[in-house]
Amino acid sequence: MSTDAHADRMTEVSDKFGITPEDYMLPARHMINLLDPDGTLRPQDKQGTEPGHEYPLPSPARLMEAYSALVTGRRVNDQNSALVRQGRMAVYPSSHGQEACQVAAALCLEEGDWLFPTYRDTVAVLTKGVAPMEVMTSFRGEWHCGYDPKAYNCAPMATPLTTQLLHAVGVAHAAKLRGENTVVVAMCGDGATSEGDFHEALNFAAVFNLPVIFFVQNNKYAISVPFSQQSAAPSLAHKAVGYGMAGERVDGNDLMALMSVMTRAVRLAREGNGPLLVEAHTYRMQAHTNADDDKRYREDSEVAEWKAKDPVIRIQSYLDDAGLLTEQAAADISQKAEAVAKTLRDGMNQDADTDPLELFEHVYSSKTPQMAEQQALLADELAREEA
Ligand SMILES: Cc1ncc(C[n+]2csc(CCOP(=O)(O)OP(=O)(O)O)c2C)c(N)n1
Ligand SMILES: [Mg+2]
């Protein structure tokens, strides 16, 4: 495709909204935010929307579905953190505080679409439909991915930063070549946007006009590195224009705004308008993982400030006021969340049936002398334990 052809395509897309190609690609001047922290629907002129950047409100039924997934997501995060404290799991990168992003990333997709998550996206993977104990397999140190990616259209949760973005672009490219109408959501964090693979994935997706939504959860930290030391761009959403794609900034603790922005992004991508970058502003409420002490690099007051913007309380207040969250509905939703937490507790409290020697399989086709030596040492140690 020639440069002119790309310019023509952008003009065609922006014409649909009656704005210039630059205004289509640049994020709206203010972050999209539909609900105030107390759950009040903001007046139109305060929503951050502007001509060409308008967002239809999700239907009550869709909001209730998303709220239910949100409540389950919070319960799962807190259950898993408790299991770590009880020694049943070695490590868990909690998305406590980011659950609205997690839910929207999965629910905006339709059948046949693909999700490419990271280690922090357990709740998104669950919301995509992966069975709870299958999601936890790798955190348990049991087998590699733990679920069949093709059965769920959900890639393994990537720990190497941004490798999954390249895989996501590859899947979208293959689907396009096959004439399939597949949309791909590829997730990553703020820190991950500094990786070379992030650049390559975005560039390839834009040049080949692929239906990928790059969904960046800007939770303000990459382990101990604050966002101020991560990027000098006006926002991460602004990076999109450099690749020739549209960028959006959305309040990542506002479930209503996220559902709206992500559903629109998926529709635009499916209609052949190319990739989009959505930056969700949220906050990592807990330490990076249980292996990290966040008190060494941030103030309690900062965490408290974000607690007041909790995504669960915000949408709950809205649904309550709108008369949607009846006592019966709340009880059903809570029961559903408890059932998932119980499945996790019961599953995690059973010892994993693993062979530590499997560690050495599938690394190299023929083992290095060092690996063979380490394998023999471990085999010897295990035999002594048994004796
Ligand atoms: C290629 C690569 N480099 C370094 C790491 C080590 N590492 C793990 S998580 C992390 C920080 C990532 O921060 P961010 O992208 O903001 O995601 P968050 O953990 O906040 O969700 C780093 C540097 C890694 N996993 N992969
Ligand atoms: Mg981060």
Side-chain angles (χ1 to χ4, degrees), residues 111-326:
E111 213 182 320
D113 293 342
W114 272 82
L115 183 71
F116 281 76
T118 76
Y119 53 87
R120 196 172 299 289
D121 302 323
T122 297
V123 172
V125 175
L126 261 175
T127 310
K128 185 79 172 69
V130 180
M133 278 310 291
E134 290 185 34
V135 182
M136 300 316 296
T137 312
S138 54
F139 289 120
R140 226 181 164 202
E142 212 172 322
W143 242 108
H144 296 283
C145 171
Y147 52 86
D148 176 0
K150 286 188 182 157
Y152 297 106
N153 280 23
C154 184
M157 286 180 272
T159 298
L161 299 176
T162 60
T163 49
Q164 79 281 7
L165 303 186
L166 295 165
H167 303 157
V169 168
V171 164
H173 195 203
K176 189 174 170 179
L177 291 175
R178 285 199 208 107
E180 294 164 0
N181 202 5
T182 306
V183 174
V184 176
V185 165
M187 305 175 77
C188 75
D190 46 304
T193 65
S194 300
E195 290 280 345
D197 284 353
F198 174 84
H199 160 73
E200 290 175 31
L202 267 71
N203 192 53
F204 197 102
V207 170
F208 288 89
N209 196 31
L210 301 176
V212 184
I213 317 300
F214 296 97
F215 183 55
V216 181
Q217 290 170 86
N218 181 350
N219 65 5
K220 309 298 177 290
Y221 286 91
I223 312 186
S224 57
V225 178
F227 184 63
S228 57
Q229 286 177 39
Q230 193 64 248
S231 173
S235 82
L236 295 176
H238 279 84
K239 291 196 172 194
V241 67
Y243 296 101
M245 71 174 81
E248 290 289 15
R249 274 181 290 187
V250 58
D251 184 329
N253 287 17
D254 176 352
L255 184 64
M256 171 107 78
L258 282 159
M259 289 296 291
S260 184
V261 168
M262 289 299 281
T263 305
R264 178 182 179 271
V266 167
R267 181 173 50 76
L268 281 170
R270 201 183 308 283
E271 287 170 357
N273 298 309
L276 290 98
L277 167 60
V278 177
E279 177 190 15
H281 277 275
T282 183
Y283 192 74
R284 201 194 72 209
M285 291 299 293
Q286 297 178 353
H288 175 69
T289 67
N290 47 301
D292 153 64
D293 177 7
D294 60 325
K295 296 210 181 303
R296 294 180 62 176
Y297 54 81
R298 66 180 181 184
E299 300 293 331
D300 287 347
S301 57
E302 185 185 288
V303 181
E305 227 173 85
W306 278 90
K307 198 169 180 346
K309 301 180 195 169
D310 188 281
V312 182
I313 293 170
R314 184 180 307 198
I315 189 72
Q316 195 178 314
S317 306
Y318 172 82
L319 295 171
D320 250 342
D321 290 349
L324 291 167
L325 197 57
T326 60

Side-chain angles (χ1 to χ4, degrees), residues 360-372 375:
F360 298 95
E361 301 304 329
H362 316 297
V363 182
Y364 297 113
S365 56
S366 53
K367 289 190 185 76
T368 61
Q370 290 88 344
M371 269 188 77
Q375 184 174 14

